[in-house]
Amino acid sequence: MVEIQHIKLSELTLKIKEVLTNAFELNEYWIVAEISSHKFYPNNDRHYFEFIEKEEGSNDPIAKIRGVSWRLGSEHIKSFEQATGQVFSNGIEVLAKVKVEFHQSHGLQLILQNIDPTFTLGNIEKQRRDTLHRLLSENKDTIELVGEEYVTRNKKLDFNPTIQNLAIIGSPNSEGYTDFIDTVNKN
């Protein structure tokens, strides 16, 4: 019987770690990717997610890698959310500064170092303009652009400045009815 040369898994992962550390240790990269599989753990202030890149016009990923943010990355995510008004969550496309890391038991991952809010704001504005343009082209009879304002049929209707008539449907003994009457009487 021939003995097969072998090494332990831990030895192989240590070699992989050494190669990747030597290749990427001092480098950080700005990447454009979509966020997927996002989970936030507020007790540890950590985010776990995937960076994905999809084929244009498709939902099929052409690249995917695990991402994580530690304390510094989480601080940048908070700043990003405040600046954009957008929650860091699945489906948003971001411009992120990352560092490549390989851990023997967790595998290959990208550590979020920073995130650029202006990139995402630009994408949100582009999506907004595209959506409004599509609404205009697909609903010409119900919405129109007048100057800078989008006008719908409802916006063209004249309404009295105050409510003239009100109908209440419900039992006069219900809590909702009595609360409503009480509120109206107090106002």
Side-chain angles (χ1 to χ4, degrees), residues 168-178:
I168 300 173
I169 301 172
S171 168
N173 298 327
S174 71
E175 287 184 27
Y177 176 79
T178 55

Side-chain angles (χ1 to χ4, degrees), residues 126-145 149-153:
K126 181 182 179 305
Q127 288 173 352
R128 179 185 162 281
R129 278 187 268 123
D130 291 347
T131 301
L132 289 171
H133 179 72
R134 193 177 73 247
L135 281 171
L136 282 172
S137 64
E138 293 174 3
N139 301 288
K140 292 178 179 162
D141 58 331
T142 57
I143 187 169
E144 62 182 302
L145 182 60
E149 185 177 7
Y150 293 90
V151 180
T152 63
R153 283 190 214 159

